Amino acid sequence: MEKNNLEMDEVEKVVNSLFYEEINALLRNTFAIISEGVTPKHEELLKERKFNNPLRIICNFENVSLGIRNKQWRLELDFDDYQWSCKTMKPHFLTALVSIEVGKEVLHFKYQLCSSFNEGLKPMYSQEIEQQKLNDEEFVIEKLKELTQFLKELPECFLQEIKKINFNELEYIMHPKIQEKWKQGYLPGIDGVIMGEGEIIIGNVYRCYDPNNGETKQFWFPLCDTIIESIEKYDDDIWVEVDVFHGAFEYENQKFVFGDGAMGNEGYIASTTMYGELNWAIFFKFSNPIHKAEVKDKHLICYGDSGTIIQINLNNITKIKIVSKEGN
């Protein structure tokens, strides 16, 4: 308890110091602006490189990441869904940070742009500052000048580092069993979206009959998220053999394939990488074999043998519309 109280006292001294207050105010006023300035150009770069998987810009303000003694302000690319590079044997990271770590009577302080894609931007050691200097106005002004200059140059430097990234080297984390089963010609035989990294979005499919006109309409909407392990916990015989029909085509750095399931009344559509790994697949128990597919206005249109037409919004693949007959 005494140790924790001591740590709290040290942190409180820092938080109430002129140094912390001025730097905190500077970051609060500029960091969000920097993030907003970087994001649109970053998104343009992803489109130019035809990179389809999510890679978000994240701005974490005053993020307590390493316990009570440490605070960090971060602007970073989100690489959480990617494996380490097999080429460099390093994790993927590109992070701009301002960091303070409180020690007994000292403060460890650093600001840096660091990148695993640039040997010249390795994480560096912090500067050790005596706590008695944290209320020295001349010292604080000098540090603010340094930090202000760093923040001013940061957007352009950050974007330049993004341009150096070989996006083909980013290895998206794929679920080994799903990928293995896919290569063997199997998918989970459930109405839902199967993601290549292991997430399953269960679909709820139902029909409504209108007695006034005798028409039956069918609907699909996402019901819940789960994972393949949870489904197999209660049923280990979920895998259905699928066939790939003629007519597969490429679209925006991916390949769409489609076909049927083993029972004959089933169909599916899948997006794969250009090397055959499964990005995602949607399995339909009701559609009969999918014999044709095309993209129109960012919608993937799937045609089933029974006359069913399925429209999938490629901006959000859980938005699925079912049309019973062409033209309806």
Side-chain angles (χ1 to χ4, degrees), residues 40-199:
K41 294 182 180 179
H42 157 254
E43 291 176 349
E44 289 177 14
L45 282 170
L46 295 188
K47 289 181 181 178
E48 289 174 9
R49 307 288 183 86
K50 297 182 178 179
F51 185 74
N52 296 318
N53 292 321
L55 196 62
R56 297 168 294 167
I57 296 286
I58 294 177
C59 179
N60 288 331
F61 184 80
E62 200 173 20
N63 176 39
V64 182
S65 60
L66 298 175
I68 194 171
R69 290 172 172 262
N70 182 279
K71 291 184 181 291
Q72 293 183 339
W73 298 259
R74 287 178 173 267
L75 176 71
E76 61 187 339
L77 277 179
D78 179 16
F79 291 100
D80 286 348
D81 291 330
Y82 294 85
Q83 298 170 338
W84 289 24
S85 169
C86 290
K87 183 177 180 181
T88 63
M89 298 307 294
K90 295 178 180 178
H92 303 303
F93 63 86
L94 174 58
T95 304
L97 60 87
V98 180
S99 172
I100 62 172
E101 184 175 356
V102 181
K104 186 177 181 182
E105 298 183 353
V106 295
L107 180 73
H108 302 280
F109 174 69
K110 71 175 177 179
Y111 52 87
Q112 186 190 6
L113 176 61
C114 46
S115 171
S116 62
F117 304 94
N118 185 342
E119 286 294 320
L121 292 177
K122 296 179 179 178
M124 63 184 183
Y125 291 107
S126 300
Q127 175 188 359
E128 189 174 285
I129 302 172
E130 295 178 4
Q131 283 194 26
Q132 63 186 22
K133 287 188 175 182
L134 300 183
N135 289 301
D136 184 322
E137 186 173 348
E138 187 175 333
F139 174 80
V140 171
I141 290 173
E142 185 61 31
K143 287 300 170 188
L144 281 173
K145 285 182 180 178
E146 293 177 13
L147 185 56
T148 301
Q149 186 63 30
F150 169 74
L151 296 173
K152 181 180 179 181
E153 297 172 355
L154 180 55
E156 184 59 30
C157 293
F158 195 84
L159 287 166
Q160 289 302 317
E161 291 306 314
I162 292 176
K163 291 177 182 178
K164 295 176 184 177
I165 296 173
N166 180 357
F167 288 91
N168 292 325
E169 237 181 72
L170 302 182
E171 299 173 55
Y172 200 59
I173 297 175
M174 297 295 192
H175 192 284
K177 185 168 186 177
I178 287 179
Q179 296 301 324
E180 180 184 4
K181 285 288 189 180
W182 169 250
K183 290 174 182 177
Q184 293 172 353
Y186 290 89
L187 283 173
I190 55 176
D191 281 307
V193 181
I194 299 94
M195 306 301 293
E197 68 272 18
E199 181 185 11

Side-chain angles (χ1 to χ4, degrees), residues 5-6 21 49 128 141 197 225 234 260 263-264 288 301:
N5 288 338
L6 180 62
E21 289 177 354
R49 307 288 183 86
E128 189 174 285
I141 290 173
E197 68 272 18
D225 297 334
Y234 301 103
D260 67 355
M263 298 299 292
N288 282 25
I301 315 298

Side-chain angles (χ1 to χ4, degrees), residues 13-27:
K13 288 179 186 176
V14 171
V15 170
N16 292 327
S17 69
L18 178 64
F19 177 86
Y20 183 88
E21 289 177 354
E22 291 295 327
I23 286 182
N24 192 46
L26 174 63
L27 291 167

Side-chain angles (χ1 to χ4, degrees), residues 270-286:
S271 163
T272 74
T273 68
M274 302 308 290
Y275 304 102
E277 290 91 355
L278 182 69
N279 294 322
W280 54 261
I282 307 178
F283 193 88
F284 305 106
K285 286 185 175 181
F286 59 85

Side-chain angles (χ1 to χ4, degrees), residues 223-246:
L223 181 63
C224 65
D225 297 334
T226 185
I227 56 175
I228 196 69
E229 288 81 5
S230 293
I231 296 175
E232 287 190 317
K233 180 180 178 181
Y234 301 103
D235 184 1
D236 59 2
D237 188 23
I238 64 170
W239 299 94
V240 172
E241 189 172 4
V242 296
D243 294 318
V244 176
F245 286 7
H246 177 73

